Amino acid sequence: MNIKNKTVVIILLCIAVSLIIIALLFPFNKKLSNLDFSILDKNDNHQYELNEKLSFKINDSTLLSDKKAVWYFGNGDSIVSKENVDYTYKKAGKYLVTLRINNKFDFSKQINIVNGRTLTAKDSIPKIFCAAFGYVGEEIVFTGYSPSSNNWYWEFGETGTIDSYEKQAIYVFTSPGIYTIKLETEKTKYPITKEIEIFQLYEPFKEPEVIDSAGIVLNDIKKRLQIIANLGARDTRAYKAQVNYLKNKYICSDLSDVVVVVNEEKYNDFLSYCQGLHYLDGNATIIQEVKLDTIKCFRQINITQKTNKTK
């Protein structure tokens, strides 16, 4: 064998020995060759969205049991963990997510964060949000939800016609009963329906065309304030109905502009007084007397009341 061939053989032997040594000393690489991670979105629409919690899951966490691992999210944020992690992006854009092992080995994937999700067929089906019940004379709010829709057609069951074309509608029922609410949009074939029950809050009485008796007005206001005092703290619907009744019938200005004088020594605006009467004092209060500065559109009301000590 000539010198040239000996040299080639020696070089090949050195390379082979080096590879064996590397394989023996660094089995780490062979283990990590199977490492991978996946990115899962919370709403499962296969789109990574702004402010959506994303889950970064390692396919085999046992490969990292004796190693250091750091997650880098491409925006300067990082999490030290050899387990699965959750992360939410606060800004849209493309990012390179990297799982770095022992500060040497990187496993990376690019992720695209978008501002919002793509609308689906389900987004064309509207939903109705409203209270399950209400009272005659109360302003009831109805809200429609459908990301794909722009036109709204509400029927509330009293008139037999379309009552509103707004996404959020307000309606006042004039009679008690169970009503079927109907909502259509430009996307629906048939209307979406929901039932609401309307109660009579108080026994109706016929009013004269012209109220010429101050006593009728004062007794009516006194009656409404006593109802507010007697209502449970959680009965906000009945409370709002009474306040709206007083406002619509006797007050021509903002409720906060009406002065209330209690027992000739305490003061409130009308709205704060009603709130305190309902939520704070409750049925421990007895309304004894009501006086107005003027019967129509009063701006000041003097109230005499006492605490019922037996409550």
Side-chain angles (χ1 to χ4, degrees):
M1 182 180 296
N2 56 38
I3 297 176
K4 183 177 181 180
N5 290 337
K6 288 183 178 180
T7 302
V8 172
V9 172
I10 292 172
I11 293 173
L12 291 175
L13 287 173
C14 290
I15 294 174
V17 172
S18 298
L19 292 175
I20 292 172
I21 293 173
I22 291 173
L24 292 174
L25 295 179
F26 300 98
F28 180 80
N29 289 344
K30 293 179 67 176
K31 292 182 179 179
L32 288 185
S33 64
N34 297 323
L35 185 66
D36 194 11
F37 69 87
S38 58
I39 306 173
L40 306 178
D41 57 326
K42 185 177 181 181
N43 58 23
D44 201 27
N45 67 349
H46 307 292
Q47 184 169 264
Y48 307 125
E49 301 166 18
L50 196 66
N51 297 318
E52 178 185 20
K53 186 172 74 171
L54 304 178
S55 296
F56 298 81
K57 297 185 177 294
I58 301 171
N59 64 327
D60 187 359
S61 58
T62 61
L63 297 174
L64 305 179
S65 60
D66 59 345
K67 300 171 180 65
K68 177 184 177 181
V70 183
W71 294 90
Y72 295 92
F73 299 99
N75 59 356
D77 289 350
S78 62
I79 298 176
V80 178
S81 176
K82 61 182 71 176
E83 304 292 338
N84 302 327
V85 298
D86 294 332
Y87 185 77
T88 300
Y89 284 90
K90 302 300 183 182
K91 188 176 181 181
K94 293 182 178 180
Y95 301 93
L96 186 66
V97 179
T98 300
L99 176 59
R100 181 167 296 170
I101 310 301
N102 285 355
N103 293 323
K104 292 182 179 180
F105 303 97
D106 290 349
F107 299 84
S108 301
K109 288 185 179 182
Q110 189 177 70
I111 185 171
N112 185 27
I113 304 298
V114 298
N115 282 321
R117 63 184 177 89
T118 303
L119 297 178
T120 64
K122 189 176 182 180
D123 293 311
S124 297
I125 302 175
K127 296 180 180 179
I128 297 174
F129 294 94
C130 67
F133 64 93
Y135 296 91
V136 171
E138 177 187 10
E139 291 186 348
I140 301 175
V141 179
F142 298 86
T143 302
Y145 175 78
S146 173
S148 298
S149 303
N150 296 307
N151 299 319
W152 309 84
Y153 311 92
W154 292 93
E155 293 183 47
F156 298 112
E158 272 196 319
T159 64
T161 61
I162 295 175
D163 299 296
S164 177
Y165 297 89
E166 302 295 329
K167 180 178 181 180
Q168 186 176 82
I170 297 176
Y171 190 78
V172 178
F173 288 91
T174 60
S175 300
I178 298 176
Y179 295 88
T180 299
I181 310 304
K182 296 180 180 180
L183 172 63
E184 290 190 72
T185 71
E186 78 275 18
K187 301 287 186 178
T188 54
K189 175 67 174 178
Y190 302 107
I192 306 300
T193 62
K194 187 171 185 178
E195 285 191 345
I196 184 172
E197 186 170 4
I198 302 301
F199 298 97
Q200 185 72 55
L201 183 61
Y202 55 89
E203 289 297 325
F205 61 93
K206 291 186 177 181
E207 299 175 347
E209 294 184 2
V210 178
I211 298 177
D212 55 3
S213 172
I216 293 177
V217 174
L218 296 176
N219 287 334
D220 189 34
I221 294 174
K222 177 183 175 181
K223 173 185 174 182
R224 305 297 168 182
L225 292 177
Q226 191 62 61
I227 291 175
I228 291 174
N230 293 342
L231 287 171
R234 294 185 178 182
D235 199 349
T236 57
R237 297 183 182 279
Y239 161 74
K240 290 180 180 179
Q242 294 297 333
V243 173
N244 288 335
Y245 174 90
L246 292 170
K247 180 180 186 302
N248 296 332
K249 191 164 186 178
Y250 300 114
I251 300 174
C252 303
S253 58
D254 193 275
L255 294 180
S256 60
D257 293 330
V258 177
V259 177
V260 180
V261 182
V262 182
N263 293 337
E264 298 184 355
E265 60 180 5
K266 300 291 185 179
Y267 303 87
N268 270 113
D269 62 88
F270 190 82
L271 181 59
S272 298
Y273 172 79
C274 290
Q275 290 174 340
L277 192 63
H278 177 222
Y279 294 105
L280 300 179
D281 285 347
N283 57 14
T285 300
I286 297 176
I287 307 298
Q288 295 177 301
E289 186 179 17
V290 171
K291 294 181 180 179
L292 304 177
D293 59 343
T294 177
I295 296 299
K296 185 177 181 181
C297 299
F298 66 85
R299 299 296 296 268
Q300 179 174 319
I301 177 171
N302 289 54
I303 300 173
T304 302
Q305 65 185 51
K306 70 175 184 178
T307 300
N308 186 357
K309 296 182 179 180
T310 63
K311 295 292 183 177

